[in-house]
Amino acid sequence: MSNGHVEPVHVIGGGLAGSEAAWQLATRGVAVTLHEMRPVRATAAHKSDALAELVCSNSLRSDDAEHNAVGLLHEEMRRLGSLIMRAADANQVPAGGALAVDREGFAAAVTEALSAHPLVEIRREEVAVLPLPQLDSVIVATGPLTSPALAEAIAGLTGEEALAFFDAIAPIVHRDSIDMSVAWPQSRYDKAGPGGSGADYINCPMTREQYYAFVDALLAGQKVAFHEWEATTPYFDGCLPIEVMAERGRETLRHGPMKPFGLTNPHAPGTKPYAVVQLRQDNRLGSLLNMVGFQTKLRHGEQTRIFRTIPGLERAEFARLGGLHRNTFINAPKLLDPTLQLRAEPRLRFAGQITGCEGYVESAAIGLLAGRFAAAVRHGEHLLAPPPTTAHGALLAHITGGHIPAEDGGMPSLRSYQPMNVNFGLFPPLSGALKTADGQRLRGTEKTLAKKRALTRRALEDLDYWIASGLHAAAAE
Ligand SMILES: Cc1cc2nc3c(=O)[nH]c(=O)nc-3n(C[C@H](O)[C@H](O)[C@H](O)COP(=O)(O)OP(=O)(O)OC[C@H]3O[C@@H](n4cnc5c(N)ncnc54)[C@H](O)[C@@H]3O)c2cc1C
């Protein structure tokens, strides 16, 4: 980039991510053109023409920065000068430990701040083509309801199979909450596969009675209905909800994702399980496992209740619960570099839910980083990614490479990358055991809380260090 370059950075989409990205650019002295298609063109969920409209709940979830990963993300965003957090704090409504907002006041505050900024131009228009060859820096932040024309253009750029229009989220469990005196590690028929060890799955055995009771619970459990506009989007391509499979017959699941073949339970080698639930490593750290084939429309409370009846998962802690929604997201770990640039076309960055993060706060946080990365390039600098010990860094690392692709018949499964909330399972583990002041090892709830406090303390210290020293790491080539 030559000095004195005045070309604005173009941000497509004025939602949670795009608004935050535009703010971060403008407050770093970089001109921005923000393209938002509403009200010229509507989405199926937005109701207004305001920027950063919250399409559903008015909650930004827990504000506890000591014990909760999303609360930590709030605090980090505040320290990074986030417009989304400033608008949320100024429009807070009482909600216990959560940060809930007056949605109209919140969106109006974001819209006014960006409209008033001299470096921000807001254009109300749909961007329907890519890669916009005349532009040298573009952030695509068009969200889960990206307009069909632009989605088609993105698919043209990334390859059809790298863009999903529906998510199929299976629950994710913290590895250390599984009872390994009941469950055991083993791949079916001990197959090592590429990069595997032959013991890549955690298996939870079920007797015939337990299996039938489980199927009954799935059938009776309360489900979330599809929105009308979701119901018309086809998703039945190998990702049926588990309860829909159960409806097809009482034996269907044990011939599908719960089949018991090729597995021997070392805790009871003489007894063949009637069905087996398998969990597979989901992140490089190995701290998170996904329940294979368990994508579901069961209500969250029902998922926790029913899945904790699975032997070995009685005390399971869920990093993410399952779901199926209309969504638009790219296979980011494959396509993006560590600063959210499309490897094949580095002028383009992606931000927000389209990268496969999930949630208002996560989308805004990834928008914040995209804005800062793009601003640094405009200033001829190279911004290092935040440390993976911070909430921003942990989420970014997951999106840009931390997820482990699953294999389907020896081929990397394109469906295995699914949207992710921020959670402590994404953070590198702490070194050393946690102890009381008098040197005793902590146990139970006390240990869980102390671990969270240690993780959040480490995160904020490392974030402050990154802010102080990492921002202008090196002049760009
Ligand atoms: C129905 C629904 C309900 C949800 N509920 C919640 C919830 O309760 N809590 C939660 O945390 N998360 C929820 N999410 C998930 C997600 O966090 C939000 O969708 C969030 O708004 C994503 O932020 P974003 O900036 O990536 O996308 P958005 O906030 O959707 O912003 C994208 C913007 O891009 C615009 N746009 C799209 N295409 C174009 C184009 N071609 N040209 C120009 N502009 C374009 C859109 O109009 C929109 O303003 C929900 C998602 C959906 C779809």
Side-chain angles (χ1 to χ4, degrees), residues 13 15-17 36-38 46 56-57 127 142-144 147 353 359-360 363:
L16 276 298
E36 169 52 55
M37 69 177 183
R38 289 174 293 119
H46 291 83
C56 186
S57 159
V127 174
T142 44
S147 72
Q353 184 133 333
Y360 300 145
S363 297

Side-chain angles (χ1 to χ4, degrees), residues 41-115:
R41 185 177 264 276
T43 78
H46 291 83
K47 306 236 168 356
S48 76
D49 61 3
L51 301 177
E53 178 181 332
L54 302 176
V55 284
C56 186
S57 159
N58 67 332
S59 171
L60 274 60
R61 320 207 305 279
S62 172
D63 201 31
D64 177 354
E66 256 197 310
H67 304 103
N68 188 289
V70 81
L72 172 66
L73 197 54
H74 289 172
E75 177 55 24
E76 290 187 8
M77 291 174 74
R78 288 185 181 108
R79 293 186 187 194
L80 291 163
S82 158
L83 173 61
I84 292 297
M85 288 311 299
R86 190 180 91 181
D89 289 336
N91 288 281
Q92 201 169 352
V93 296
L99 174 57
V101 301
D102 172 315
R103 67 176 72 239
E104 273 148 33
F106 165 77
V110 174
T111 310
E112 279 158 24
L114 286 168
S115 306

Side-chain angles (χ1 to χ4, degrees), residues 11-19 35-38 41-46 50-61 123 125-129 141-151 227 229-230 325-327 351-355 357-364 421:
V11 177
I12 311 177
L16 276 298
S19 298
H35 305 255
E36 169 52 55
M37 69 177 183
R38 289 174 293 119
R41 185 177 264 276
T43 78
H46 291 83
L51 301 177
E53 178 181 332
L54 302 176
V55 284
C56 186
S57 159
N58 67 332
S59 171
L60 274 60
R61 320 207 305 279
R123 287 195 203 153
E125 63 186 15
E126 178 189 5
V127 174
V129 291
T142 44
L145 305 172
T146 294
S147 72
L150 187 65
H227 292 282
W229 44 272
E230 286 181 314
H325 319 91
R326 169 78 180 81
N327 204 341
Q353 184 133 333
I354 199 165
T355 64
C357 65
E358 167 81 21
Y360 300 145
V361 185
E362 289 85 342
S363 297
N421 283 130

Side-chain angles (χ1 to χ4, degrees), residues 206-213 251 274-275:
M206 277 189 183
T207 63
R208 188 187 170 95
E209 293 67 37
Q210 286 168 331
Y211 172 75
Y212 285 138
E251 302 299 321
Y274 193 70

